[in-house]
C-alpha cells in the first residue's frame, strides 16, 4: 500500500505532528502566573544559576532530547536539506513521546559543515538531556558524533548508526537461535559501508561474531583496495580476515547471513541461492529492499527481515531509541557505551519468548509498548 | 506574598513546565506508523526538499517559535547563564502556548559571544516560524537582533525591548487620556538606558511623544557627557533637545511622566513631588520597583504602574508577545516593523473601554484571554 497521499494530507491538515503542552494547570489567577513566571520563577532561576547541576531536577532538561539533522542523508532520499529532513525529525520526536515518554524537539540545520554543526549542538545543549543525531551522511557523521561525545556530558547518539545496530543485532541473535548457529561459526556479509553498516559491523564484532566481510558500491572491502578512505580502512582491522576480493556475488557465496543497508535491488535470487544452508537475509534498504522479500524466500532464504511494515520481521529503529534514551535520562547516563548497546540488543532479543519465536517473528512489533522499559532497564544495568 | 517556595516546589514536582504533545492520534496500527513515519513521511520530505517554501504548510514551522537566551541579563538577576535562564524561557514558552496557542521551545545557549549567537540562531532557523530573543544584555542585544533581522526571513523580536515598549506605550496612551495630556505636550523621563529603555524611548518618539530625556546610572544623557557608547550617543539625536544635564532628581523636575526600567528604589517621594501636576509613574524594575507604588501615590502620583502582579496597573510583556507572534505567524509576516508595534500598542490601549478606564485600570489584566486576538489583528493590518 502507498501511504504517500494519506501522509501528505495528514501533515497538511495538522501542520506537522507535534506541539507544546503545559505541565502546569491552566493559568487562571495572578497567583498561577506568579508561580509559573515572575516573580516566583526568579527563585528557580537563582538556584539554577548557582547550581547548574540541579537543572535536571527543576527544569525540562531531565526529559528533553533534541533530534538534530542537517538533512544530508534523509531516509533513502539523500541530501535533501533541512526542510526535507523536518518531517522525519518531527516523526522521530513523535515516536520518542509515544513510545518512550521522552520530550523530543526537532532541530534542522542550515549548515552541513561538521565543525559548525558540532559548535551549534554544543552551544544549545544546556537545556537538553540528550542529543539524537539523525540522517547525517557518512563519513562526517562519525566525526560529529565522536567530537560531541567528547565535549558534552549528556548522552549523544547517532541513531542511524547505533539504533540500527542494536535492532539488527537483536534480530540476528534470534535468527541464529532458529538456524542453530553460534556467533563464532556464523559467516556474515554486510552490504553497505555507511553509517549503519559501520555501526552494525562493529557491534556484531563486539557481541562475538568473528567472520564478517563488508561490501560497498565498489565491492568487498579488502587490503587490495586502493580507494578506501580512513573510515573504511578501519574495517580491515576486524573484518575479511581471509582478504577476499570481488563483487557482492562473490561475497555472498557460502555465507550464512546477508545484512543489507545499501540500496534497492542490489542482491539477486542467484546470490541468495549461492549462500550456505538456511540463509538469513536482512534487506533493510528503505523503501525498496536490497532484494524483494518474497523473491528471497523463494530463492531459499530461511529467514527474511526488512525495514518495511508490510512484511514480517520489521527491523525498525523505533524498537531501540525510545528505550535507550528513556534509560539514559532516568539514570543520568552520560555516555551510551558499547556495553549498553549490547545489553539493549540482548534484552530486545530476549523480549521475544522462546515459544513465540518463529522464522516470521524474530522481533517484537514496533508498536509493542512493552519494549521500551525492557531496553531502558538494560541501559541501567 | 512571596511565591519563591511554591514556585521551587512546583518546578521540582513537574520537572519544568512544558512537554511535547502529539497532534496525530495515538499510534495503534502499522498503518498509523506508516503515515506518521516511514514510508509515508518520505513523500512529505521529498516535497519539502524540493519546495522549502511549503514547510509552513506541511510541518510545525508555521506555529513554532524558539525562545532563545544566553542568560546574560535574566530578569533583574543579571548574568546568571543558560541554566539560570532556562526556567524563565520555559515560562515564556508556557505563556506563548496558553495565551497565543504558539508552540514555543526554549533554547539556552552555552556561549555569550554575539557573532556565535547570531550564527547559531541563523542555523537552527529552518524549522522555526519565529525567534523570540530574551534576556540578552545591552548593548549586544541590539547588534544580535539587527543582524538576525537582516539575515532571516522569519520574524525576530527581542521581547525585552519591543514587547516592553508596546505595553508601556499602550499604558501611557491610556494614562494620558486620564490626565488630559496630548503627546506633543507630555514631558517624559525614561530611567534606564538598556534594552527596554532604548526601545521604549524610540517607540514613544515614533508614536508622537516629542519631549523625552533619558537617564542612566551616571545621570542625564546629554551632549556634555564624555562617557557615552555609540548606542547611547544615538539618544542625543531624538531626546533631550534642551541638553539638560544632571542627576535623576534634576531630570524629574516638572516632568509629567516617569518611566523606570532600571533598578530598585532609585526614585524618591521628593522627586515625585517635584514633578508637574498629575504625575504618571511607571516603576517597572522587577521584583523591586524604582519607587514603592504606595509611596509614589502618597507623594502625589496620579497614576502608578509597576511590573508586579500584586499592584494595580501591571505593565507586563505577556500582554504583547503572544499576540505579536500569533499575528506574525498567521499572516506570514517576515519582519516586525515599527508600524506594527505602534498598531499593537494602540489596539492594546483601546482594548480598555472608555467607561472602564480609571487611574487603577489603564491596561487589561495579563490573564485576559481576549487580548491576543486584538494584538494579532493589529499586526495583520
Amino acid at each position: 500500500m502507498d501511504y504517500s497521499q494519506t501522509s501528505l494530507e495528514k501533515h497538511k491538515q495538522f501542520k506537522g505532528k507535534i506541539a507544546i503542552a503545559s505541565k502546569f494547570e491552566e493559568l487562571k489567577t495572578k497567583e498561577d502566573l506568579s508561580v509559573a513566571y515572575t516573580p516566583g520563577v526568579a527563585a528557580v532561576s537563582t538556584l539554577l544559576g548557582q547550581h547548574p547541576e540541579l537543572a535536571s531536577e527543576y527544569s525540562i532538561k531531565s526529559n528533553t532530547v533534541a533530534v538534530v539533522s542537517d538533512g544530508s542523508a534523509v531516509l533513502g532520499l539523500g541530501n535533501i536539506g533541512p526542510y526535507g529532513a523536518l518531517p522525519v525529525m518531527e516523526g522521530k520526536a513523535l515516536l520518542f513521546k509515544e513510545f518512550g515518554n521522552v520530550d523530543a524537539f526537532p532541530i534542522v540545520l542550515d549548515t552541513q559543515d561538521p565543525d559548525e554543526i558540532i559548535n551549534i549542538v554544543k552551544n544549545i545543549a544546556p537545556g537538553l538531556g540528550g542529543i539524537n543525531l539523525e540522517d547525517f551522511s557518512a563519513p562526517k557523521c562519525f566525526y560529529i558524533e565522536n567530537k560531541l561525545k567528547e565535549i558534552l556530558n549528556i548522552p549523544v547518539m547517532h541513531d542511524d548508526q547505533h539504533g540500527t545496530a542494536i535492532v539488527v543485532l537483536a534480530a540476528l541473535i534470534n535468527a541464529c537461535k532458529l538456524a542453530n548457529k553460534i556467533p563464532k561459526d556464523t559467516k556474515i556479509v554486510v552490504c553497505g559501508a555507511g553509517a549503519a553498516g559501520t555501526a552494525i559491523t562493529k557491534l556484531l564484532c563486539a557481541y562475538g561474531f568473528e567472520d564478517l566481510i563488508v561490501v560497498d558500491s565498489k565491492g568487498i572491502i579488502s587490503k587490495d583496495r586502493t580507494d578506501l578512505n580512513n573510515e573504511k580502512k578501519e574495517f580491515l582491522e576486524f573484518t575479511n580476515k581471509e582478504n577476499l576480493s570481488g563483487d557482492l556475488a562473490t561475497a555472498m557465496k557460502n555465507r550464512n547471513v546477508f545484512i543489507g543497508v545499501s540500496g534497492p535491488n542490489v542482491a539477486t535470487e542467484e546470490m541468495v541461492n549461492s549462500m550456505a544452508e538456511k540463509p538469513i537475509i536482512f534487506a533493510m534498504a528503505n523503501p525498496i529492499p536490497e532484494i524483494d522479500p518474497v523473491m528471497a524466500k523463494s530463492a531459499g532464504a530461511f529467514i527474511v527481515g526488512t525495514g518495511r511494515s508490510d512484511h514480517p520481521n520489521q527491523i525498525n529503529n523505533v524498537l531501540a531509541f525510545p528505550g535507550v534514551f528513556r534509560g539514559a535520562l532516568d539514570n543520568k547516563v552520560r555516555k551510551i557505551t558499547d556495553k549498553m548497546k549490547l545489553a539493549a540488543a540482548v534484552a530486545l532479543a530476549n523480549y521475544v519468548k522462546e515459544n513465540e519465536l518463529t522464522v516470521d517473528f524474530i522481533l517484537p512489533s514496533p508498536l509493542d509498548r512493552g519494549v521500551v522499559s525492557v531496553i531502558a532497564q538494560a541501559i541501567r544495568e
Side-chain angles (χ1 to χ4, degrees), chain A:
Chain A
M1 187 180 160
D2 184 9
Y3 295 99
S4 302
Q5 199 50 41
T6 319
S7 192
L8 280 165
E9 281 163 16
K10 210 154 165 189
H11 280 79
K12 190 165 187 179
Q13 181 190 350
F14 291 104
K15 295 198 166 191
K17 286 173 284 204
I18 58 164
I20 297 294
S22 168
K23 293 203 232 180
F24 279 22
E25 303 89 3
E26 202 189 332
L27 299 175
K28 282 186 184 153
T29 65
K30 288 202 170 184
E31 286 66 36
D32 295 343
L33 206 56
S34 303
V35 169
Y37 202 56
T38 53
V41 74
V44 188
S45 283
T46 304
L47 180 69
L48 300 192
Q50 287 162 356
H51 298 281
E53 74 281 5
L54 294 179
S56 299
E57 287 178 46
Y58 287 86
S59 78
I60 57 167
K61 183 177 173 78
S62 56
N63 201 44
T64 301
V65 167
V67 180
V68 182
S69 182
D70 70 348
S72 57
V74 179
L75 305 175
L77 306 169
N79 186 355
I80 59 171
Y83 298 95
L86 186 53
V88 177
M89 303 313 129
E90 281 189 42
K92 203 98 190 184
L94 184 66
L95 301 183
F96 259 119
K97 186 67 187 181
E98 284 262 329
F99 293 101
N101 196 28
V102 171
D103 295 308
F105 192 79
I107 304 270
V108 291
L109 300 173
D110 195 23
T111 174
Q112 299 195 334
D113 176 82
D115 289 306
E116 208 165 41
I117 291 165
I118 291 162
N119 190 48
I120 292 164
V121 176
K122 177 234 153 203
N123 280 320
I124 64 169
L128 301 168
I131 309 280
N132 183 111
L133 301 171
E134 194 75 25
D135 291 356
F136 286 92
S137 59
K140 75 174 169 192
C141 63
F142 307 120
Y143 171 68
I144 293 170
E145 191 197 31
N146 287 337
K147 267 282 187 201
L148 284 171
K149 288 181 86 156
E150 223 178 277
I151 298 169
L152 293 173
N153 66 355
I154 55 172
V156 177
M157 184 169 95
H158 182 209
D159 189 50
D160 305 276
Q161 289 183 63
H162 310 295
T164 312
I166 290 168
V167 183
V168 167
L169 174 55
L172 188 57
I173 290 170
N174 280 348
C176 285
K177 283 182 203 161
L178 290 164
N180 284 318
K181 296 296 294 180
I182 59 169
K184 197 168 73 62
D185 298 337
T186 306
K187 293 170 189 298
I188 300 170
V189 55
V190 176
C191 177
T198 304
I200 290 166
T201 305
K202 286 184 177 171
L203 196 66
L204 263 46
C205 288
Y207 179 77
F209 289 96
E210 294 178 5
D211 188 349
L212 291 98
I213 54 180
V214 180
V215 180
D216 67 8
S217 57
K218 306 269 165 32
I220 298 171
I221 293 181
S222 75
K223 295 198 177 83
D224 305 333
R225 293 266 298 267
T226 54
D227 59 343
L228 300 176
N229 63 22
N230 286 336
E231 287 77 14
K232 290 187 180 175
K233 274 185 192 145
E234 237 195 271
F235 282 119
L236 301 174
E237 295 167 23
F238 52 89
T239 69
N240 196 8
K241 285 171 191 164
E242 294 168 40
N243 200 36
L244 287 169
S245 286
D247 59 9
L248 179 61
T250 313
M252 282 176 71
K253 251 175 231 155
N254 298 318
R255 294 262 132 192
N256 304 104
V257 179
F258 168 88
I259 295 173
V261 278
S262 54
N265 301 320
V266 296
T268 63
E269 287 170 285
E270 293 70 43
M271 295 180 195
V272 174
N273 203 256
S274 76
M275 291 172 74
E277 59 163 10
K278 292 191 176 172
I280 296 165
I281 306 286
F282 296 162
M284 294 177 291
N286 243 330
I288 304 167
E290 281 79 359
I291 180 167
D292 178 87
V294 177
M295 272 170 59
K297 270 275 181 179
S298 72
F302 175 59
I303 291 172
V304 181
T306 69
R308 296 180 61 107
S309 56
D310 49 359
H311 288 280
N313 298 326
Q314 188 181 7
I315 299 168
N316 191 313
N317 289 19
V318 74
L319 288 167
F321 69 80
V324 169
F325 276 96
R326 182 73 276 151
L329 291 170
D330 287 346
N331 301 292
K332 297 192 172 142
V333 165
R334 292 184 171 201
K335 298 228 186 299
I336 314 281
T337 62
D338 272 1
K339 216 174 142 185
M340 290 176 200
K341 287 180 256 169
L342 292 171
V346 170
L348 180 57
N350 290 339
Y351 187 81
V352 180
K353 297 192 197 80
E354 299 279 341
N355 62 351
E356 291 172 335
L357 194 61
T358 70
V359 292
D360 285 338
F361 191 77
I362 58 170
L363 282 178
S365 156
L367 290 158
D368 190 325
R369 307 270 165 163
V371 170
V372 66
S373 60
V374 170
I375 304 262
Q377 175 75 4
I379 297 291
R380 189 166 81 89
E381 287 169 359

